[in-house]
Amino acid sequence: MASPMRSLLTNPSRYVQSFRLFLTNSTEHQCMQEFMEGQLPAVIASIGNGKSTINILSVGGGAGEIDLLILSKVQARYPGVTIRNDVIEPSADQIFKYKERVAETSNLKNVKFTWHEETAYEYESRMNSEKKSKKWDFIHMIQVLYYVKDVPETIRYFHSLLEAQAKLLIILVSGTSGWEILWKKYRSCFPLNDLCLYVSSADIKRILDSAGLKYQLHELPSHMDITSCFIEGNKDGELLLDFLTETCEFSKTAPPELKRQVMEELRKPECSEERDGKVLFNNNLSVIVIEP
């Protein structure tokens, strides 16, 4: 009998809902912001040397929160320089929110935005068919590599677009996170399709090492409050479980034994810690900065 479990990505509105709840319940954006405030200035210190225009490519820019923070750091390092910021983002809803955010943000006069409503793969295919290979001074891919068809090829392609002083910045879940434990153990039980792969920084390191690329790795501690997942019938808990398993309506469609095992796994110290009556899932991230 076919399983009633479906990938969360087959229901885009529920995916966005669960993703926004994940951001509310986790320190995901706070730890990224701390990195951007503290360590990004050193990463971008030479990307625009001697240039009158800096070209930035955001792969999977989402609703733009982190993109605008990155742009503010580039502006601070290179005051008055024109910045061309191209955004690849397949969700029309996210692009709409990004444009709203830009409209509400001052100090962006020297930034020219272009949005491409497409996936990284569609962008690459279009550029190849148009025989274009525009070079970039800074490319960032934040929480994107789970949604590409071929991770090594995607990294190879975008790395090939770097200028001589440029950097490629990747952020994704750490090999030390609860995601790594949960997904390595249960991914064969989840209804993954080719829209979602499970990768962590451990996989990316292997890819970069075998390609002989130079990179630096930064670990960002982060957690997500998943206490509501253990309250039967709690709507927020059900959405967070969907996000953790990439399964639409996981708590209603998963076989009872799988649900029991996953709920048990989530409470184990390898995945989460219990503090002040809360269950905090290990959401550690890695930042990987790749040289040209």
Side-chain angles (χ1 to χ4, degrees):
M1 195 180 88
S3 164
M5 290 169 75
R6 285 185 305 127
S7 164
L8 181 56
L9 290 161
T10 60
N11 185 333
S13 66
R14 190 166 173 94
Y15 173 80
V16 169
Q17 224 186 329
S18 67
F19 174 65
R20 296 218 171 109
L21 186 64
F22 157 70
L23 289 180
T24 304
N25 276 43
S26 72
T27 59
E28 171 99 352
H29 272 180
Q30 293 91 306
C31 75
M32 283 190 207
Q33 283 162 352
E34 282 167 24
F35 176 84
M36 300 305 170
E37 296 288 349
Q39 287 157 291
L40 187 68
V43 172
I44 59 168
S46 61
I47 62 168
N49 284 354
K51 301 202 167 202
S52 56
T53 302
I54 294 172
N55 295 307
I56 297 177
L57 181 61
S58 163
V59 184
E65 300 101 316
I66 301 297
D67 281 23
L68 293 191
L69 184 56
I70 290 171
L71 287 168
S72 73
K73 296 299 161 199
V74 177
Q75 286 177 305
R77 174 68 185 82
Y78 302 100
V81 171
T82 300
I83 299 169
R84 292 191 185 281
N85 188 72
D86 278 38
V87 181
I88 300 168
E89 170 53 57
S91 162
D93 179 52
Q94 293 285 73
I95 289 177
F96 179 76
K97 291 199 161 44
Y98 196 139
K99 288 179 175 176
E100 277 188 330
R101 189 167 264 117
V102 168
E104 291 159 5
T105 305
S106 55
N107 308 328
L108 291 173
K109 284 191 290 295
N110 64 326
V111 185
K112 312 251 184 303
F113 288 91
T114 308
W115 287 272
H116 306 276
E117 191 185 316
E118 56 193 350
T119 64
Y121 178 73
E122 287 163 350
Y123 175 85
E124 180 182 345
S125 303
R126 182 168 62 81
M127 288 293 140
N128 287 339
S129 68
E130 293 172 8
K131 306 239 180 314
K132 287 182 182 164
S133 64
K134 183 175 163 70
K135 294 283 188 177
W136 302 90
D137 301 303
F138 188 50
I139 301 176
H140 53 86
M141 313 175 81
I142 297 174
Q143 297 292 44
V144 165
L145 287 175
Y146 324 109
Y147 308 114
V148 304
K149 286 187 168 74
D150 182 334
V151 176
E153 161 54 27
T154 299
I155 292 173
R156 188 208 60 73
Y157 172 71
F158 286 104
H159 181 263
S160 75
L161 305 182
L162 292 178
E163 289 279 19
Q165 300 285 318
K167 297 280 190 287
L168 168 59
L169 180 140
I170 292 171
I171 301 183
L172 78 171
V173 298
S174 169
T176 66
S177 68
W179 296 98
E180 176 84 347
I181 311 290
L182 183 70
W183 282 72
K184 286 281 188 278
K185 199 161 180 180
Y186 291 103
R187 67 170 151 198
S188 61
C189 309
F190 298 150
L192 285 184
N193 52 27
D194 63 356
L195 289 171
C196 182
L197 303 163
Y198 181 68
V199 287
S200 75
S201 62
D203 303 298
I204 304 306
K205 279 170 67 178
R206 280 193 289 276
I207 291 165
L208 298 177
D209 288 339
S210 69
L213 295 176
K214 281 167 104 172
Y215 61 92
Q216 288 97 42
L217 184 69
H218 308 265
E219 290 288 314
L220 310 184
S222 174
H223 64 260
M224 163 171 47
D225 183 348
I226 59 167
T227 315
S228 58
C229 294
F230 300 94
I231 303 167
E232 197 61 45
N234 182 288
K235 289 279 173 282
D236 283 359
E238 289 181 359
L239 276 170
L240 287 175
L241 269 177
D242 285 11
F243 193 74
L244 283 160
T245 60
E246 287 285 344
T247 303
C248 192
E249 306 267 14
F250 175 81
S251 58
K252 293 187 175 72
T253 61
E257 180 55 19
L258 175 63
K259 184 181 172 185
R260 187 191 67 73
Q261 287 177 18
V262 166
M263 300 310 286
E264 233 173 63
E265 195 68 42
L266 285 171
R267 281 203 110 111
K268 286 183 183 170
E270 293 83 3
C271 272
S272 304
E273 66 166 315
E274 305 211 13
R275 203 182 332 148
D276 305 328
K278 291 181 173 167
V279 183
L280 302 177
F281 182 77
N282 177 333
N283 184 56
N284 289 356
L285 303 174
S286 295
V287 179
I288 303 168
V289 180
I290 307 170
E291 304 290 331

